[in-house]
Each structure stands twice: as structure tokens, then as C-alpha cells.
Amino acid sequence: MTRTLVVVGNGMVGHRLVQAVRERDLAGTWRIVVLAEEPRPAYDRVALSSYVDSWDELALRLPGAEFDGDDRVELCLGEPAAAVDTAERTVITSTGRIIGYDALVLATGSAPFVPPVPGHDLPGCFVYRTIADLDEIRVAAEGVRSGVVVGGGLLGLEAANVLRGLGLDTSVVELAPRLMPVQVDEGGGALLRRKIESLDINVHCGVSVQRVEPGLRLALSDGGELDTGLLVFSAGIRPRDQLARAAGLDVGPRGGIAVDSACRTSDPHVYAIGECALAGGQVYGLVGPGYAMAEVVADRLLGGAAEFTGADTSTKLKLLGVDVASFGDAHATAPNALEVVHSDPVSGRYQKLVVSDDASTLLGGVLVGDASAYALLRPLVGRALPGEPGALLAGPSAGGGVGIGAMPEDAQVCSCHAVTKAQIRCAITENGCADVPSLKSCTKAGTGCGSCVPMLKQLLTACGVEQSTALCEHFAHSRAELFEIVRATGIRTFSELVGKHGAGRGCDICKPVVASILASLGSPHVLDGEQASLQDTNDHFLANIQRNGTYSVVPRIPGGEITPAKLLVIAEVARDFDLYTKITGGQRIDLFGATVDQLPLIWRRLVDAGFESGHAYGKALRTVKSCVGDTWCRYGVQDSVGLAVELELRYRGLRSPHKIKAGVSGCARECAEARSKDFGVIATEEGWNLYVGGNGGFTPRHAELLAADVDRETLIRLIDRFLMFYVRTADRLQRTAGWIEAMDGGLDHLRAVVVEDSLGIAEELETAMAKHVENYADEWRGVLEDEEKLSRFASFVNAPGTPDPSISFRSERGQPVPVRLGIPEVTAR
């Protein structure tokens, strides 16, 4: 018999519960009704601050949040519960609808706490909790220059990051004597404050707001005053238990719906999970415990006996680019606990281990500035230390650190999915998993926050699984190794390279890679001699092939800056060749629908007008996007267009393991979206901030700060080193984000190499880039000046100039678009 489960709340925890029930309820026992207060499907509230990167709520949406195609789930957006009648087992919604239930789960979450100071509700005061809150803050930020966040905890610093991203002069006011007082101690808080202040965020600790006066003047407890254009309260949360109180369910003396170990409330048919629940006398303000509660309730609903016995409140996060981690008894509250501290203000690292009085057991720790040891240390809490505490903090480079072998078999490697070291070892040794993707598929480890992925690789190695870096069956070397071989030996042909260092004749994987390496090292035109046969289809025709067999032509428009005369040329070419035209996201103009024999004719018109190839077809620099900067914008502080033009012309034609995109923003308002690019530059009052490792695509990543407030000359020198280091050492089709992530030491190592020249190769990298800049030549012009190359551009070898008759177009919105060829129907006889 089908039963009805009503879930009140559609946040991350409520969504997890529905997913868990649907995954386990194979017999379709439960019909689920989800009552959502917000008008949008569930989204990643933990990543809320990233919403300001694109203002695209789809980027935050949780997988499967719409439950499309699942007729067992009824998702009621914008229809919250108004009342619960436990006697009748019904829920009344905001629309007056009455829904009966067999089981009810309250996942109503929490609400921001706003200190009851006079003036807290004046215009210009906001809270930081939902997408709607951020939309309101965004509107309010227009026309003001400063913002204040009340609260220096985790959410407060996230809110500060949002205001900073909106281009506001930002201040944080925290009542406690340090930032993040729940997670870090005095030493860690001091370093965290120093790092936050270095980002031009003003920090006021140990003070409170006494009142907010009209005009948004804040009177502080230390007698000071702050004038601001916008005020955000992010001073903690309170469980949303009003629905439960009104229904007569038990709540705690300080709030929270009281639940037992089954997450059941005082009514056996009603459960509560997440930040609205009071479990074991504690309200958890983290999503992890909420997920654990959701799993318990899902199990109970399907006849199980799972119990919630508490949760790991360890935290690892990156705030404003600063790594912060806290685990176990971070504040050394256990009797006679000892603290072992390593503080290095020069390198910006603070590490503390809390151990038992005999220094034999790890109790907890705090990591600020470098949290790479978190994944290995956290599972050891409550267990015997594998070494002397001081040596553990010293790290591998100093002969210390924690190895994967020190972890006990029952320690959780993946806390998101409760996967132990023993389970992963079993997957490797008994189920034959030989790489990280297969481990993810087999155990779910690494599919949550992803912080355990490095340990998965270590376990593979520890189990004797050799992880091949071979490019393909024809080369036993990685791309980086092949690059060094070509560079060191001076080999300039594929046939010589595969003959001396490989086997066979090559394939579609290794040929384009070698072609790219040869191009990176300054070989002649990509269509010269043997090189032409190595290129993939797009590089072979210096244009992108489209779905109907035609090609797109994309001339370079550095920095998006173009004269009316050149605009006229593009318009005339599009008109004369009947091409579809579209403005791209990278400030260029696509011309679609050119047949292969038309390409040289189109290039001739464009080249004669001063255009050159935009390399839209190659794994090379594509664009350097820019805003208008201080030339036109009232907020701009630097010439972003001028710098974007200079950078695009400098790096044009640079072949690389993957395509490269860049952006330059003239101020912190970030209109060029530079932090979503492989390298992004954002102007400051003192110079330029350089960010690296961002990208869009299937797995969007935000770029991270590599260097701050550098002058133009230094900036270009660092970009030279960064790009050339990437070109030399990245794997095939590895974007800069994945390259940095896979690097031992990650961004810190990259910074050491690029900024501090730790490997002593900076001059060599700069020289290589200078050679590239000096030898750049337009590839379109190279074809136009060579009759042999021109002969390649024909639809039919035996009938040059004859267009492909199978290509046709229809009109859509006044422009030609492809007529798709039908697929022949196959019928059975």
C-alpha cells in the first residue's frame, strides 16, 4: 500500500532526504510531497557566495533538484507549510491546501539571527541566507561604495566576500576577540585576520554594534562609529521551530525541535532533521550532520533501525582564498590536553595539534593558511598518534607529516559518504579498481566535497597500483615528458619522435599532442609538411567545423575593441558570403556557414582589412575579455581595455594543452568575469591582482589569487611564467584548474615556482615566452601566401571551387542556419 511522506523544507538536507528515500524505496512504498518555501528547486546554500560570480542560480542548483520524470515526488515550489495537525496527520499549506501524511519530516532549517539593536530594520539592512537575499543586496549595492557585515564567523566572512565581490569597501564587525571563534583559536584567528585584512577588508574584533542610526551610521561598543551604504547581519542562526511549537511538539529550552536517536520528534509520526532539529541537546549548524540525519530517517521510513548518535563537526573550507580547517577538540577542552603549535607568519601558516596529556592520542587541531594535512589528520582523532606531534606538523618536505599507512583500516577516508580506508582497499584489491574514477563509481568516495581524492590516489599507490602517465599506446611518456624530450633533442617531426621515443605510427591522441608541442616550440606554420597531417579537423582547416559540414570564421578582436571601419568589413563579409553572425561571450563575432572553399576568400577580405586568425579552432589562447575600465566606467580604477589588448596580442597563437581564456576587470566589480578564466586580472587601487586556474565548462572553477597589487611589468612577467610552465608540464587536455589541483602542493607550489622562482626556471620560462612573442605569425596569412597550402581548401579534390551540394540553409530570424540532414529510416523485413 502506498503511503504519503510530506517533507516540509526543500533545502540541502530536505533534498538529501528525498533522494535517499527514492534510492532505497525500490518497491515505491512512499509517495513524497515536498513543500518548498522558496520558488526555486533546491540549491547549494554552502556555495551561496559563488552566486555573485555569475548571478546564475542554475549554477548552484543541486543535481536532480527538479525530480523531473519521477512521478513519486510532488515538488511544490513557493508553497510552504502553514500549520501541522498532528492529531489528524495533516499539513495545511500557505495556499490552504490540506495534505494528509503517514509520515512527516520537518526540514525547515534555520533563520539568520539579527541582534535586536535599535535601527536593525532600517532600509539598507539585510541578512545573508538565500538567493533572494543576495539579489536584494546586489540591487542595494548599486550606487553605494561601502558595506559592513556584522558577524565574523563562517557565514559572516562569506558575506564579506560577497560585498567585496560587488566592489564595496568592506568591513567586518565581530563581537568575539577573533574571527571564526567557533572554529579556530587565538593564534589561528590572528593569522586569519592578517590574511583577511591583506585583502582590503577592515576587521573590527571585540566590539559590537550598539545601534544603527538613520543614514546607516553604526555606533560601536568601543565608542567608534562606522558609516556605511549597506549593512548585512550574519551573526549566527536560530532553528526554525515555529511550525513544531504551534503543533505542540517538544522543543528545547533554547530552541530546536527535540528529536531522539531516530530523529523522531515527540510525535512518533513526525521527524525533524537538519538545523531545525535538537539532537542530543545540540543544534548542528553544518550541512554534514543534516545529511547524516536524512540518511537515518530514510532508513527508518523503510523499516531500518539506523540511529543518529552525533556527527563530526570538523570543518575544512576556503574563505576569501584562505584555507581554514578545524577538527576534533580544536580548543583543547579535554582535561590536561596538550597543544603543539607551529606558527609561521612568514609563509602564512598556522598549525596546531591537540593531544592527550601523554601525547599518545590525537584529540583535534586547527590549520590556517595550509589545510592540506586535514584529510589525513582528521580520521586519526581519538586514535594513537603515528609519530611525534612536532614531526607531524613539519610536513613531508621536512621529513615528517602523516602518511596514508598511518591511518587505521576503519578510519573514514570519505566523511561525505562514510567510506573507510578498508572499504577502499577492498575495492582496489578485490574489485579490481585501478584508478580514481573506478573507485568513485564503486565506493562513492570522492564524489562529495572531493577533499579525499588525493588520498584515493595514495591508496592506489600503496596497494601497488601503478597509475600510468603514458600518453597513448604509441608513447610511454606523459605529455610533459614528451615536451621535454622534444625541447631537449631538437626533434621537429612526428616521424622522428615516434621512431626514436615511441612505437607504431601514432593515433588521433598522440598526433595532435605532438603537433601542439611542436607549435609551442616555435616550429613553422602548422600546415607545413608533415605537421599538416598531425592536426585534428579544426586545426587542419584553421576553422571550426560545424554540424552541417560548414566552418565558422572568427577574426581576432583583441580586448573586444574594434573600429567602426572593421565592423563594416565584418558586416560586408557576412553579407557577401551569406554567413550567420553572432556576438560571442568572449567579445568576438562568429561568422558561421562558410564552406571549405570559401575560407581563403573570406580570410583574404579580413586579412586585407587588418584582421587575423582568432584561433577559435586551436588549443591556444582564445580571448582576453575586458570591461571598459577607467576610460569610461565611473567605478574603474585601471585601464582594463589597454591591458587586455596588450595581453591578447602578446599571447595570441600560443599553443597549449587546452584552450586558454583570460579576462581583465578594471575594478573589483568584476564585469569581465576574470575569475572564471584560466588567468584573470582585476585592477586595484595599487595595481593588479592576478588570479589563475578558473574555467567554465562542465566543471566550473573559480580562479585563485596568485599575486596581489603588482605593477603592470611584474604582472606580465608572472603571466609569462605561469603560461609557459603550464604549456610545458600539463597533461593532454588538462585545463589549468585541473593542472593546479593535480600539482603536489597545489597553488602554493605554483606560487613558489612562478612568483618566488623556487625551481630557478623563471628566466628560462620568460625567454621561451619572449621567443613565442617574437616569432608569432598569423596562420590565415600563412595559408594565403602559400599556393600549396591554398590547394587544401576545396570540397572536391578533382573539382576545386565546387561547393558541396549537400550543404543547404534555411532562414531563421533573418539569418541562414543549417538544414539538418535526415537520418535514413531502417525498417525490418
Side-chain angles (χ1 to χ4, degrees):
M1 182 179 69
T2 300
R3 293 183 287 174
T4 299
L5 166 66
V6 175
V7 180
V8 178
N10 189 42
M12 297 176 72
V13 172
H15 178 66
R16 180 64 167 260
L17 169 72
V18 179
Q19 280 191 318
V21 173
R22 294 297 299 130
E23 287 174 3
R24 301 177 190 191
D25 186 19
L26 302 180
T29 308
W30 290 97
R31 165 183 169 265
I32 305 175
V33 180
V34 182
L35 300 178
E37 184 174 51
E38 294 187 64
R40 52 181 61 86
Y43 55 91
D44 186 352
R45 202 184 302 275
V46 174
L48 189 60
S49 64
S50 66
Y51 179 52
V52 301
D53 298 339
S54 62
W55 299 105
D56 178 10
E57 66 176 76
L58 293 179
L60 285 180
R61 187 164 297 179
L62 295 177
E66 300 89 347
F67 296 103
D68 285 342
D70 189 341
D71 58 6
R72 310 297 295 178
V73 179
E74 180 186 354
L75 178 59
C76 308
L77 299 177
E79 187 179 2
V84 173
D85 186 335
T86 56
E88 296 294 328
R89 293 191 203 168
T90 59
V91 176
I92 303 173
T93 75
S94 59
T95 64
R97 193 157 59 114
I98 299 176
I99 305 172
Y101 66 81
D102 295 285
L104 171 68
V105 178
L106 300 176
T108 49
S110 61
F113 169 67
V114 178
V117 297
H120 69 271
D121 52 356
L122 285 170
C125 296
F126 301 90
V127 294
Y128 175 82
R129 190 64 180 165
T130 65
I131 284 178
D133 293 336
L134 262 66
D135 286 337
E136 291 181 0
I137 291 171
R138 179 190 187 186
V139 171
E142 294 290 339
V144 303
R145 301 189 66 87
S146 63
V148 171
V149 176
V150 176
L154 191 157
L155 287 177
L157 295 183
E158 290 278 3
N161 193 27
V162 168
L163 298 191
R164 180 171 174 267
L166 290 169
L168 304 185
D169 293 332
T170 304
S171 300
V172 174
V173 177
E174 168 57 44
L175 176 62
R178 62 180 181 275
L179 296 172
M180 294 187 68
V182 175
Q183 288 84 12
V184 304
D185 61 356
E186 185 176 352
L191 177 60
L192 180 61
R193 175 174 182 163
R194 197 155 50 243
K195 285 180 170 287
I196 298 297
E197 288 180 328
S198 71
L199 300 173
D200 291 334
I201 294 178
N202 305 307
V203 178
H204 305 266
C205 287
V207 297
S208 61
V209 176
Q210 299 294 293
R211 61 184 180 280
V212 182
E213 299 173 350
L216 294 188
R217 169 165 291 185
L218 278 62
L220 304 180
S221 59
D222 63 357
E225 293 181 337
L226 276 177
D227 289 318
T228 183
L230 188 154
L231 177 60
V232 178
F233 289 103
S234 186
I237 58 172
R238 296 292 183 270
R240 297 183 66 186
D241 55 14
Q242 296 85 349
L243 203 62
R245 287 177 186 270
L249 300 174
D250 290 347
V251 298
R254 301 182 62 185
I257 307 168
V259 297
D260 61 14
S261 61
C263 296
R264 199 163 32 211
T265 69
S266 52
D267 183 307
H269 298 285
V270 182
Y271 298 82
I273 57 176
E275 294 177 354
C276 66
L278 178 70
Q282 184 173 354
V283 172
Y284 292 90
L286 298 170
V287 72
Y291 280 173
M293 294 181 194
E295 296 290 341
V296 167
V297 173
D299 183 74
R300 289 276 177 168
L301 290 171
L302 293 165
E307 293 188 344
F308 179 77
T309 56
D312 183 4
T313 57
S314 300
T315 305
K316 178 179 181 293
L317 37 90
K318 186 181 286 291
L319 292 168
L320 293 153
V322 182
D323 283 333
V324 179
S326 167
F327 55 94
D329 185 8
H331 295 290
T333 59
N336 303 318
L338 304 176
E339 297 176 87
V340 182
V341 176
H342 174 75
S343 181
D344 184 354
V346 176
S347 64
R349 291 180 173 86
Y350 176 86
Q351 299 170 298
K352 182 181 81 172
L353 293 186
V354 180
V355 299
S356 59
D357 54 359
D358 60 355
S360 64
T361 304
L362 180 64
L363 302 179
V366 174
L367 306 169
V368 178
D370 178 6
S372 57
Y374 170 83
L376 283 167
L377 288 172
R378 182 194 53 75
L380 294 175
V381 171
R383 300 174 185 272
L385 279 166
E388 194 272 322
L392 296 179
L393 292 179
S397 61
V402 184
I404 194 74
M407 288 183 66
E409 291 294 302
D410 61 342
Q412 283 189 3
V413 171
C414 174
S415 57
C416 297
H417 295 285
V419 185
T420 65
K421 176 183 174 182
Q423 289 172 305
I424 294 172
R425 284 174 58 87
C426 177
I428 298 171
T429 57
E430 297 184 18
N431 296 333
C433 294
D435 52 31
V436 171
S438 61
L439 278 179
K440 287 182 174 180
S441 175
C442 182
T443 68
K444 284 192 173 182
T447 60
C449 69
S451 63
C452 64
V453 169
M455 280 200 290
L456 301 185
K457 295 179 180 177
Q458 292 179 38
L459 279 168
L460 284 164
T461 302
C463 291
V465 178
E466 185 177 351
Q467 298 171 69
S468 173
T469 59
L471 182 62
C472 67
E473 62 179 317
H474 303 104
F475 288 100
H477 310 282
S478 67
R479 181 193 174 278
E481 291 168 340
L482 275 182
F483 191 102
E484 289 306 311
I485 290 172
V486 174
R487 189 172 70 89
T489 61
I491 292 175
R492 288 296 178 265
T493 65
F494 177 85
S495 53
E496 184 180 0
L497 184 65
V498 76
K500 290 183 177 179
H501 299 278
R505 297 183 176 180
C507 62
D508 291 341
I509 294 176
C510 60
K511 285 182 176 179
V513 168
V514 173
S516 173
I517 292 173
L518 294 173
S520 299
L521 289 169
S523 292
H525 195 281
V526 295
L527 299 184
D528 266 346
E530 184 194 66
Q531 268 193 263
S533 64
L534 305 179
Q535 312 295 339
D536 62 21
T537 301
N538 288 342
D539 281 282
H540 193 79
F541 290 102
L542 306 184
N544 276 34
I545 190 169
Q546 303 300 328
R547 65 188 314 154
N548 67 336
T550 60
Y551 292 83
S552 63
V553 177
V554 186
R556 186 172 301 286
I557 303 176
E561 188 177 66
I562 187 168
T563 64
K566 284 190 171 181
L567 275 175
L568 280 172
V569 171
I570 291 178
E572 289 169 353
V573 167
R575 179 198 61 200
D576 294 349
F577 289 89
D578 199 17
L579 303 177
Y580 171 91
T581 58
K582 186 179 185 308
I583 307 294
T584 74
Q587 297 179 330
R588 302 194 292 193
I589 300 175
D590 275 342
L591 303 171
F592 287 92
T595 56
V596 65
D597 52 294
Q598 288 178 325
L599 290 174
L601 303 175
I602 294 170
W603 294 343
R604 170 59 67 195
R605 295 271 295 272
L606 294 172
V607 168
D608 287 348
F611 287 103
E612 61 185 25
S613 167
H615 286 94
Y617 46 85
K619 298 292 183 287
L621 177 85
R622 296 289 178 85
T623 65
V624 181
K625 186 178 179 181
S626 73
C627 63
V628 295
D630 66 353
T631 307
W632 292 95
C633 178
R634 58 198 170 105
Y635 298 110
V637 294
Q638 302 281 0
D639 175 18
S640 57
V641 176
L643 179 61
V645 171
E646 181 177 354
L647 294 177
E648 184 159 343
L649 294 179
R650 182 173 184 81
Y651 304 122
R652 59 187 165 175
L654 178 66
R655 288 298 204 280
S656 54
H658 206 291
K659 62 186 175 186
I660 299 172
K661 294 183 179 180
V664 181
S665 283
C667 75
R669 302 178 83 85
E670 251 284 70
C671 291
E673 300 167 326
R675 293 192 64 189
S676 65
K677 304 295 191 293
D678 294 281
F679 71 90
V681 181
I682 301 177
T684 70
E685 296 286 352
E686 286 76 29
W688 304 94
N689 284 351
L690 173 60
Y691 297 82
V692 295
N695 62 249
F698 283 111
T699 310
R701 290 285 299 271
H702 220 169
E704 296 182 278
L705 184 66
L706 185 72
D709 293 330
V710 295
D711 58 40
R712 197 174 180 120
E713 181 181 353
T714 303
L715 174 77
I716 293 173
R717 187 164 61 246
L718 294 180
I719 298 174
D720 281 359
R721 297 176 185 177
F722 165 73
L723 288 178
M724 195 52 72
F725 190 44
Y726 166 64
V727 167
R728 288 189 173 189
T729 62
D731 286 335
R732 168 182 172 267
L733 299 181
Q734 188 176 39
R735 305 195 74 152
T736 54
W739 172 62
I740 296 171
E741 183 179 335
M743 197 179 291
D744 283 343
L747 183 68
D748 289 339
H749 176 67
L750 179 65
R751 184 179 291 111
V753 174
V754 172
V755 181
E756 302 158 14
D757 193 18
S758 60
L759 299 181
I761 61 172
E763 183 177 354
E764 183 182 326
L765 297 174
E766 291 172 25
T767 301
M769 186 59 77
K771 184 178 178 182
H772 162 77
V773 174
E774 180 184 353
N775 293 332
Y776 169 77
D778 175 35
E779 290 172 351
W780 285 354
R781 183 183 291 275
V783 172
L784 297 174
E785 295 175 349
D786 188 319
E787 289 299 326
E788 191 278 331
K789 293 187 180 70
L790 274 173
S791 65
R792 303 172 189 270
F793 293 85
S795 296
F796 301 98
V797 175
N798 59 348
T802 302
D804 186 342
S806 66
I807 296 173
S808 59
F809 300 89
R810 60 184 174 83
S811 179
E812 185 172 297
R813 295 184 294 277
Q815 293 209 80
V817 295
V819 172
R820 300 185 188 180
L821 298 177
I823 299 175
E825 184 179 359
V826 178
T827 58
R829 291 186 173 182

